[in-house]
Amino acid sequence: MVYVGVVAHVCGIPTEAIEAGIHREFPGRKAKAAEINIAAAAAGREWAEANLSHEYPYRVEPIDATRDQILIEGNKAAALGVLFGGTSVLTWYPITPSSSLAEYSEDFLKKHRVEPDGKRTFAVVQAEDELAAIGMAIGAGWAGARSLTATSGPGISLMTEFVGMAYFAEIPVVIIDVQRMGPSTGLPTRTSQGDVAKLHLLGHGDCRQIVLIPGSVGECYSMTVEALDLAQEFQTPVFVATDLDLGMNLWLTDPFPYPETPIRRGKVLNAADLERLGKFERYRDVDNDGVCYRTIPGTEHPLAAYFTRGTGHNEKSGYSERPDDWKKNLDRLALKLETARGRIPKPVIDLQPGASVGLIAFGSTHWALVEARDILRDRGVETSYCRIRSLPFADEVLAFAAKHERVYVIEQNRDGQVYHLLRAEVPGKVADRMISVTHYDGTPASADVILAPILAREHAGTVRQAPQVEPIVEEPSAE
Amino acid sequence: MATADTILVQSNGHTLSLSSLAFQGLPSTLCKGCGHNSITSYLIEACKAVGVNPYRTVKFSGIGCSSKTPAYFLQASHGFNALHGRMPSVATGAGVANKSLRSIGISGDGDTANIGIGQFKHACRRNLPLVYLVENNGCYGLTKGQFSATADQHAHLRRETGEENVIPPFDLCLEAIAGGATFIARSFAGDKKQLVPLLKAALNHRGLAVLDIISPCVTFNDFASSTKGWEWSREHEKPLHEVGFVPRLAEIEVEQKEGEATRVQLHDGSFITLRALTHGEHNVTDRSSAFRLLTESASEQEFLTGLIYLDESRENFVETLNMSDTPLALLTDAQLRPSAGVLTSILETI
Ligand SMILES: Cc1ncc(C[n+]2csc(CCOP(=O)(O)OP(=O)(O)O)c2C)c(N)n1
Ligand code: SF4
Ligand SMILES: [Mg+2]
């Protein structure tokens, strides 16, 4: 506390502000301790006034810029998404950095999702492992609940078999991956974007998963809400890929808006619908958008029941090993993904007129990128920026890549996972203009690590005339 | 009126008359003579007898020949053929999502005692409301006869002269009782007289009902010396008691008459009756008596069948969650999403 007093003097923090802070730390019965601490701080200030004559360049002054803003971790923000997204079944197995997400969620649910008779409109199950956590979430999703589980990389590995099955059997479930580094315990306290490609392709055989990628704590909230609706609409696993930096650190943000649209439940038929239609086939593409109708177990109608299986099935969900049934189903699942491509969160694009350099990034890299762009502009490099917010890539992302002479894809993993996914989807000529910039030491990306390779290539701020220059940045080979 | 072809079932206070077809399934694609087929037919019989409502029943399984069988019964029920060893987790999630449904899970010895032993024991620990049948043939039928963890020590692989299993087995009833399951029985696919009443009772049990049923694999494990074969099991089965099932009785009939079989009441008011044939000292409601019985019979290589343990007092997992009367799967938007005011008030405290 003496030190606090010294620092307060040096930086010009008013005594009242220090005292208010101390009182906040020692409320109620601890007020006695507050007095002692205030006295200690005052002693520190007196000493500093008497002994430190030096003028320091740093001042602390109140400003109004953060009025109405809140300070929150991404995991708590996502927990609010769990609450307002209408989650009814939350299953989880503890793992840093996702545990606090489940724990905050449980706290919120216990407070705000209780009926007047004291009964709960939710269930939280701490499973025996991630295999069981996802199995429970999928069982719940199948039975009509809005289910969600949260984990980190090692948990995702254990969930893989179930995720593949849920993709194929078409069961809604939301999985939040708060990414950390590496296998086993890896670097459990460090951040990464190393799971993105794996999430997108998770499963066995041909799987393409929907992945939402929040770039802020606000999006940790809104995308969790959105994921819960998308899972129902597309009857499939939906991932939310956050990371430790977003999830466990406090960020300043505007307060979150209440969801604009009512809860979406997707294509579910009840007994009256079945009676009216006189027919139900679980995997028939009635609307030609790849998304079929389903019924919820417990629906009292002779047409309602169907048998869910990972094995090959025809449109009636009957067992089938016929090649045409199998292929037709996979093609329909591909169409479903195409439908989803246009309905999942669009990228945020800032096009600067005349900029020949395009930057593509996603997730928590955003903040370093904002700073990096300012510095690049000071050094004469004007850039456009596309922040990807979901996989599969929206058409706008591909168009953005095509629009620029050089496209830097910046991400927090070694191999440039999204860089490679993008190259696979754009024409060869566009792919050749893409350059991977990666950062993967476990610390959040800073503007420096983004700037260095870009500036090196962009001739340290001089606008290049000839586009053909030997790349200085190591480009991972595209296979 | 219920006839041979119609079954009366209760649904939300009204009575439905259903065709018995609703209880049937697709024709079995399993081998002719497979024990699993017998179990399926007894299960259908038990479901009809106790008036299981197929619309309000869900079927689960893992992977294996045994796990295929949910396609062969209760075709008017939703079914979920899940992953190898992971049936319990799916049943847990569905049970939590809709507590008004009755759950039946089918598994095999490989599915439960090998890959799924963890989920099995956690289902026991939670006392999941689920009828959990293990169709136990001591081998992996579907993948062509490899040993499972219930294969007896010195059992032979696929034929009399096949490779010998040197590792002692898991006894799934012992695992279940250690794990906390509240209805534990062992039976035999060839003992209809015993199995049908046990199934009826299991269908009316409050928590997890584990039935470890010896179910011979005629293709890979049915030679003379196989302790999981038809012949050996028929010759060596030692029923603990004669089992009967009595639906909920009128008040007057409840009192037990002298000389009658022991009656144990189930949570819903029905009874299971047991007339001892052997081990008359065993008390099915006494956990340590059940432990003793199982460990002693294992060391003497007795093939004891019957109800081994029953506890109707313990809450099941779904009851412990204190959920709303409306199942979670059927909640309204207003029940699922708190108001805008709640969001504002939460944000003010952050
Ligand atoms: C993850 C996984 N591993 C292995 C298999 C292959 N497999 C299918 S069924 C089975 C064993 C089934 O044995 P059991 O449960 O005893 O059933 P049975 O066929 O004997 O009735 C195995 C190993 C699988 N389907 N999934
Ligand atoms: S292989 Fe064995 S377990 Fe499988 S169906 Fe045939 S007899 Fe039954
Ligand atoms: Mg088996």
Side-chain angles (χ1 to χ4, degrees):
Chain A
M1 245 343 127
V2 174
Y3 175 73
V4 169
V6 173
V7 172
H9 165 69
V10 166
C11 299
I13 303 171
T15 308
E16 307 79 65
I18 296 293
E19 289 184 2
I22 292 172
H23 279 299
R24 195 169 56 228
E25 285 301 308
F26 300 98
R29 283 195 295 132
K30 299 188 208 148
K32 254 216 189 100
E35 295 314 316
I36 300 165
N37 281 283
I38 286 170
R45 186 187 287 275
E46 273 165 36
W47 179 85
E49 279 166 1
N51 295 287
L52 301 177
S53 52
H54 184 76
E55 270 291 313
Y56 287 87
Y58 304 109
R59 311 289 302 163
V60 175
E61 281 169 16
I63 53 168
D64 225 14
T66 60
R67 181 189 287 273
D68 295 334
Q69 291 207 309
I70 57 169
L71 203 55
I72 190 170
E73 309 101 289
N75 282 353
K76 196 182 241 182
L80 283 172
V82 169
L83 177 65
F84 287 94
T87 307
S88 50
V89 176
L90 168 66
T91 64
W92 67 296
Y93 185 79
I95 180 170
T96 307
S98 80
S99 299
S100 62
L101 197 164
E103 284 165 337
Y104 283 133
S105 298
E106 185 164 7
D107 290 347
F108 284 137
L109 290 164
K110 276 183 181 160
K111 272 205 198 96
H112 302 290
R113 288 274 296 282
V114 179
E115 299 282 89
D117 61 4
K119 294 190 178 167
R120 296 173 169 182
T121 56
F122 69 91
V124 176
V125 185
Q126 187 189 318
E128 55 269 34
D129 55 30
E130 288 88 346
L131 289 167
I134 185 73
M136 290 173 191
I138 283 171
W142 175 80
R146 295 167 75 84
S147 63
L148 180 146
T149 181
T151 187
S152 192
I156 293 289
S157 317
L158 292 187
M159 293 181 179
T160 306
E161 192 186 10
F162 257 125
V163 168
M165 184 183 185
Y167 172 86
F168 193 64
E170 302 183 62
I171 299 167
V173 65
V174 172
I175 302 147
I176 302 182
D177 178 6
V178 188
Q179 297 167 88
R180 65 184 211 184
M181 299 286 282
S184 170
T185 36
L187 292 183
T189 57
R190 299 291 178 180
T191 194
S192 159
Q193 294 182 324
D195 293 345
V196 201
K198 178 172 70 181
L199 295 180
H200 186 43
L201 301 173
L202 204 68
H204 19 277
D206 290 299
C207 283
R208 287 259 170 176
Q209 313 291 352
I210 297 173
V211 185
L212 310 190
I213 312 174
S216 63
V217 288
E219 285 184 350
C220 288
Y221 161 76
S222 62
M223 285 191 179
T224 301
V225 174
E226 182 64 14
L228 284 155
D229 282 337
L230 288 171
Q232 300 293 320
E233 282 184 300
F234 291 99
Q235 303 174 15
T236 195
V238 174
F239 289 90
V240 181
T242 76
D243 60 40
L244 184 143
D245 186 24
L246 269 184
M248 288 183 70
N249 292 327
L250 286 165
W251 296 72
L252 204 57
T253 178
D254 287 334
F256 307 144
Y258 192 68
E260 276 167 24
T261 52
I263 281 175
R264 310 199 297 268
R265 296 176 188 256
K267 299 181 184 180
V268 179
L269 300 175
N270 61 26
D273 298 328
L274 293 168
E275 190 59 32
R276 179 170 48 80
L277 295 166
K279 186 176 173 182
F280 167 59
E281 291 171 353
R282 172 65 182 95
Y283 297 111
R284 179 180 284 280
D285 188 6
V286 180
D287 302 330
N288 292 316
D289 58 359
V291 187
C292 307
Y293 287 81
R294 66 182 186 129
T295 55
I296 301 296
T299 305
E300 277 201 13
H301 195 280
L303 291 174
Y306 67 94
F307 196 70
T308 301
R309 41 161 70 88
T311 332
H313 46 255
N314 57 25
E315 291 180 336
K316 296 179 179 144
S317 76
Y319 178 82
S320 171
E321 290 186 16
R322 291 171 51 130
D324 51 342
D325 279 338
W326 182 269
K327 185 166 176 299
K328 198 171 163 194
N329 197 45
L330 274 195
D331 289 342
R332 182 182 54 73
L333 288 170
L335 172 63
K336 179 162 94 167
L337 196 83
E338 285 312 307
T339 307
R341 195 192 285 272
R343 297 239 288 271
I344 57 182
K346 298 260 179 238
V348 177
I349 293 178
D350 174 27
L351 278 182
Q352 286 303 314
S356 54
V357 173
L359 306 179
I360 294 182
F362 55 91
S364 62
T365 312
H366 171 68
W367 303 94
L369 205 82
V370 170
E371 188 184 341
R373 284 184 78 203
D374 283 347
I375 300 171
L376 282 168
R377 181 175 298 131
D378 288 350
R379 308 271 180 94
V381 182
E382 198 57 66
T383 61
S384 293
Y385 172 33
C386 167
R387 179 165 67 87
I388 294 172
R389 300 202 305 151
S390 61
L391 300 174
F393 300 114
D395 295 339
E396 290 85 341
V397 177
L398 308 176
F400 177 90
K403 231 177 246 159
H404 294 88
E405 277 174 39
R406 288 172 304 287
V407 180
Y408 294 89
V409 184
I410 301 128
E411 53 196 304
Q412 301 179 54
N413 56 60
R414 186 192 65 189
D415 293 340
Q417 297 182 7
V418 164
Y419 162 82
H420 281 293
L421 288 173
L422 255 174
R423 280 178 63 107
E425 289 204 32
V426 292
K429 252 197 266 167
V430 178
D432 289 345
R433 293 188 223 143
M434 290 172 40
I435 302 145
S436 175
V437 175
T438 58
H439 171 72
Y440 48 92
D441 64 3
T443 60
S446 64
D448 294 351
V449 303
I450 297 170
L451 280 171
I454 297 178
L455 277 176
R457 182 153 178 153
E458 298 296 325
H459 279 293
T462 51
V463 180
R464 289 184 306 118
Q465 299 303 315
Q468 294 298 322
V469 172
E470 275 293 273
I472 297 164
V473 181
E474 278 275 287
E475 276 189 61
S477 65
E479 58 266 51
Chain B
M1 255 277 300
T3 66
D5 279 348
T6 60
I7 313 291
L8 300 181
V9 303
Q10 297 304 312
S11 167
N12 285 334
H14 58 275
T15 304
L16 294 176
S17 170
L18 297 178
S19 156
S20 71
L21 281 177
F23 294 79
Q24 309 290 331
L26 296 168
S28 168
T29 57
L30 301 182
C31 305
K32 220 169 154 213
C34 174
H36 304 347
N37 285 331
S38 313
I39 298 172
T40 300
S41 66
Y42 303 147
L43 183 59
I44 292 174
E45 187 173 329
C47 286
K48 286 192 205 168
V50 299
V52 163
N53 178 356
Y55 296 144
R56 311 208 50 79
T57 301
V58 275
K59 309 170 289 185
F60 302 98
S61 61
I63 299 290
C65 295
S66 33
S67 292
K68 285 181 174 185
T69 64
Y72 313 144
F73 62 87
L74 294 185
Q75 58 189 348
S77 304
H78 279 75
F80 195 142
N81 182 194
L83 296 180
H84 195 22
R86 317 297 173 208
M87 179 271 279
S89 60
V90 174
T92 306
V96 166
N98 192 334
K99 64 179 192 175
S100 72
L101 304 178
R102 189 197 302 263
S103 303
I104 300 174
I106 312 286
S107 178
D109 43 314
D111 198 60
T112 290
N114 290 76
I115 193 167
I117 190 79
Q119 293 209 348
F120 171 67
K121 295 209 67 161
H122 283 275
C124 293
R125 174 172 168 254
R126 292 193 178 95
N127 196 28
L128 197 66
L130 171 73
V131 178
Y132 190 135
L133 307 192
V134 184
E135 303 186 344
N136 184 350
N137 52 18
C139 70
Y140 294 177
L142 193 69
T143 53
K144 300 203 183 312
Q146 300 85 351
F147 285 129
S148 79
T150 66
D152 280 319
Q153 196 170 14
H154 311 305
H156 291 274
L157 189 71
R158 299 194 182 106
R159 60 187 76 86
E160 297 288 1
T161 55
E163 185 189 328
E164 185 180 324
N165 172 37
V166 293
I167 310 169
F170 275 145
D171 176 336
L172 285 174
C173 290
L174 258 181
E175 296 298 331
I177 202 162
T182 48
F183 180 119
I184 299 165
R186 172 165 291 131
S187 193
F188 169 43
D191 188 351
K192 177 180 180 182
K193 202 166 128 237
Q194 180 192 67
L195 187 47
V196 172
L198 280 176
L199 287 168
K200 289 182 192 167
L203 286 163
N204 288 286
H205 176 59
R206 180 184 194 183
L208 185 72
V210 176
L211 285 90
D212 176 20
I213 308 167
I214 303 307
S215 177
C217 169
V218 292
T219 306
F220 297 112
N221 199 9
D222 192 30
F223 39 89
S225 73
S226 166
T227 53
K228 301 287 190 289
W230 285 115
E231 191 183 319
W232 194 95
S233 302
R234 270 211 187 91
E235 274 167 20
H236 293 83
E237 185 196 4
K238 204 168 178 191
L240 280 165
H241 30 233
E242 252 174 54
V243 184
F245 175 77
V246 188
R248 192 141 50 134
L249 295 175
E251 213 54 52
I252 333 139
E253 298 171 73
V254 170
E255 209 176 308
Q256 195 171 340
K257 295 184 194 77
E258 211 165 319
E260 244 184 20
T262 313
R263 269 195 209 156
V264 190
Q265 192 167 23
L266 299 170
H267 194 61
D268 70 337
S270 56
F271 288 89
I272 187 157
T273 65
L274 305 165
R275 187 187 300 280
L277 297 172
T278 173
H279 293 277
E281 76 293 348
H282 171 54
N283 175 359
V284 296
T285 60
D286 177 351
R287 202 156 173 245
S288 35
S289 172
F291 264 114
R292 215 177 312 120
L293 182 78
L294 287 168
T295 36
E296 285 173 13
S297 76
S299 64
E300 278 155 40
Q301 295 215 302
E302 269 184 317
F303 174 30
L304 284 185
T305 62
L307 184 65
I308 288 159
Y309 180 63
L310 181 63
D311 172 9
E312 285 291 291
S313 64
R314 190 181 153 197
E315 277 190 322
N316 68 41
F317 180 61
V318 169
E319 288 167 335
T320 64
L321 295 175
N322 188 29
M323 292 186 287
S324 56
D325 297 336
T326 309
L328 301 184
L330 305 177
L331 294 173
T332 62
D333 288 12
Q335 285 171 303
L336 287 168
R337 174 174 288 165
S339 68
V342 172
L343 178 61
T344 312
S345 69
I346 293 174
L347 292 175
E348 272 163 8
T349 65
I350 281 172

